[in-house]
Amino acid sequence: MLLLARMAASSDVGSFSSSNDLAHVGRSELPWIYEVIGNRMKKEVRQLREKAINALVLSIDHFNRPWDRGRAEAVLILLDHSFEMLLKSAIRQKGGQIRKAREKQTIGFDACVRRGLTDAGMKFLTDEQALTLQTINGQRDAAQHYLVDMSEHQLYFYAQAGVTLFRDIHDDIFEEKLLLELPERVLPISTTAPKDLAALFDKEIEEIKGLLAPGTRRRMDAVAKARSLAVLESAVNGDYEQPSDRELQKVCRRIADGEAWSTVFPGVASINITAEGDGPTLCLRLTKNEGTPVQLLKEGEGAGAVVAIRRVNELGYYSLGAKDLAEKVGLTPPKSRAVVDYLALREDPDCFKEFQISGVTHARYSPTAIKRIQETLAVESIDDIWAADRAKRRGAA
């Protein structure tokens, strides 16, 4: 156990590099370490986790290969697969289910993200992590089902941000370092790492403009290159549908006319890259710009996506305090609170959100909460709900 404690305290794996800490641990000792870790998990969790790490290592391997035939597609497909397996292992580790009742197949990628983000009993994802997963899945969809022309810098961004996110989720859920599972011979993923999304897009747009220049006759190449940018824009906006050729032609015309990319891709303009560390310890995370909220989408909304960047005034949407809510539904504050607890409205992101303003937490409700309460009181008695709430509180006391 002392050996495990020393290993767990070692430096994180934010980039594709090995740690000197492994040099002090003989290879013969590692199987014992793996056995101790594995015994803490159920067999299904352990198998899903192993598949996730295998796919991640294969994705790294394909990125670092010296030839490009099928490289981008392989990296994205394997990276996406690694996350689906990781999310399912995390859900099972948290005690959740990955099969619906009487269903033979397990839930898909989007459903895994939704559970990890919204299930109050197992929530382990942040809004920004869900957004990163969504963008990687969108690029995988383009790579697997049609065409995607992705630059080296852009592929690096998805690969490195993916490895950073995988490490963050893995280490948090399993309380073990991903370092223990990576081979000693892991090589750096890139020597030229983009650390600013705006600079990355500036470079991509200039390349597209070059392809659209008069006399080049490379408009189809420009359309193919614009696809990966448009896929990111769609994913950020909560839309999994692939952009059509007609839509991409319009995008290229706007770029050729000199329109700023921030207006062509406004969703992308609302996010950025956060970089930590340097060289082999580099971590890249996709983050939203300050003041730009991420909105949870209902199932069936946004072409299957889970979250979307929305430029809205959230305080304007969650406009009701507890007293305001009580007045709107015609109840006293205590009875209103009883109905809120009965319906678990504070666990519903459509109805409730807390805001930190000047260090003070403000609990706010949306108009949706009014509707939910009114619909409930139309079929159930407030007296019964109130009596049950009082009995529950007396029992708790």
Side-chain angles (χ1 to χ4, degrees):
M1 295 308 292
L2 289 175
L3 179 59
L4 276 176
R6 180 171 64 81
M7 294 291 291
S10 65
S11 60
D12 291 342
V13 181
S15 184
F16 298 136
S17 61
S18 60
S19 169
N20 291 332
D21 287 324
L22 282 179
H24 303 297
V25 181
R27 212 58 186 170
S28 61
E29 296 178 78
L30 289 178
W32 174 77
I33 296 174
Y34 298 150
E35 182 180 355
V36 172
I37 296 171
N39 288 339
R40 301 178 183 177
M41 307 175 198
K42 295 179 180 178
K43 182 177 180 180
E44 182 186 22
V45 175
R46 187 167 61 251
Q47 290 175 334
L48 288 169
R49 174 175 172 267
E50 182 178 358
K51 279 184 172 291
I53 295 172
N54 288 346
L56 178 70
V57 171
L58 285 173
S59 180
I60 297 171
D61 178 44
H62 278 278
F63 189 97
N64 288 330
R65 288 186 177 184
W67 59 87
D68 288 330
R69 185 178 291 273
R71 175 170 166 265
E73 292 81 359
V75 170
L76 292 170
I77 290 170
L78 287 165
L79 184 62
D80 183 78
H81 177 60
S82 75
F83 274 116
E84 182 167 342
M85 296 298 100
L86 178 65
L87 292 173
K88 287 178 178 177
S89 67
I91 291 170
R92 294 296 291 127
Q93 177 75 353
K94 289 275 192 176
Q97 300 298 318
I98 56 176
R99 282 186 176 85
K100 294 183 179 180
R102 295 180 295 279
E103 290 284 340
K104 293 182 179 180
Q105 300 296 326
T106 58
I107 59 177
F109 188 95
D110 300 329
C112 289
V113 175
R114 187 174 293 278
R115 291 194 181 185
L117 181 65
T118 65
D119 192 317
M122 71 175 71
K123 178 177 169 63
F124 57 87
L125 294 176
T126 66
D127 292 342
E128 290 169 335
Q129 288 175 333
L131 190 62
T132 303
L133 289 167
Q134 198 163 281
T135 58
I136 291 173
N137 187 246
Q139 296 294 351
R140 187 278 315 168
D141 192 56
Q144 181 161 333
H145 298 297
Y146 192 47
L147 299 172
V148 62
D149 182 2
M150 188 173 290
S151 70
E152 184 66 17
H153 283 80
Q154 197 178 163
L155 182 62
Y156 170 80
F157 161 67
Y158 287 111
Q160 183 60 73
V163 170
T164 300
L165 178 56
F166 192 103
R167 190 280 316 270
D168 289 344
I169 297 173
H170 175 277
D171 291 5
D172 178 59
I173 293 294
F174 299 106
E175 298 181 351
E176 301 292 346
K177 297 294 182 182
L178 181 61
L179 172 65
L180 293 175
E181 301 290 348
L182 295 181
E184 292 178 334
R185 60 189 179 278
V186 175
L187 299 175
I189 188 170
S190 178
T191 57
T192 57
K195 296 185 180 181
D196 181 79
L197 196 61
L200 174 60
F201 257 64
D202 286 340
K203 182 177 178 61
E204 299 287 331
I205 295 300
E206 286 304 313
E207 291 181 6
I208 293 174
K209 285 181 178 179
L211 295 172
L212 293 170
T216 58
R217 296 185 179 182
R218 299 189 64 185
R219 190 171 191 85
M220 292 309 299
D221 292 335
V223 168
K225 184 168 283 291
R227 184 179 301 278
S228 64
L229 307 184
V231 167
L232 174 58
E233 173 73 10
S234 297
V236 167
N237 290 326
D239 186 357
Y240 269 172
E241 292 184 354
Q242 295 294 307
S244 67
D245 287 343
R246 178 177 295 182
E247 290 171 331
L248 292 174
Q249 291 281 2
K250 290 180 180 179
V251 166
C252 287
R253 281 198 296 271
R254 294 172 69 183
I255 292 173
D257 290 341
E259 188 172 346
W261 71 260
S262 58
T263 59
V264 179
F265 303 110
V268 177
S270 64
I271 59 177
N272 207 341
I273 300 173
T274 299
E276 296 179 6
D278 202 358
T281 62
L282 175 67
C283 299
L284 289 185
R285 295 181 177 87
L286 188 67
T287 59
K288 62 186 180 67
N289 292 333
E290 187 175 356
T292 304
V294 175
Q295 178 182 341
L296 176 69
L297 301 180
K298 296 179 180 178
E299 289 192 59
E301 182 184 359
V306 180
V307 293
I309 290 289
R310 288 290 188 263
R311 293 176 179 270
V312 297
N313 179 0
E314 283 203 309
L315 281 172
Y317 178 70
Y318 297 96
S319 57
L320 306 168
K323 185 177 180 181
D324 300 321
L325 179 65
E327 292 177 353
K328 292 289 186 181
V329 296
L331 298 174
T332 63
K335 288 187 176 181
S336 174
R337 183 189 62 196
V339 182
V340 166
D341 291 344
Y342 175 69
L343 297 175
L345 294 186
R346 283 190 284 263
E347 298 176 14
D348 187 344
D350 286 337
C351 298
F352 176 83
K353 186 166 185 175
E354 290 185 340
F355 294 87
Q356 289 284 338
I357 302 176
S358 299
V360 179
T361 301
H362 297 266
R364 308 290 291 180
Y365 296 88
S366 74
T368 304
I370 299 175
K371 183 179 179 181
R372 291 280 307 280
I373 292 175
Q374 289 173 337
E375 289 174 347
T376 300
L377 295 182
V379 295
E380 298 189 47
S381 168
I382 181 59
D383 293 332
D384 292 342
I385 295 174
W386 175 240
D389 182 77
R390 294 184 66 187
K392 181 179 178 180
R393 293 181 184 278
R394 284 197 296 268

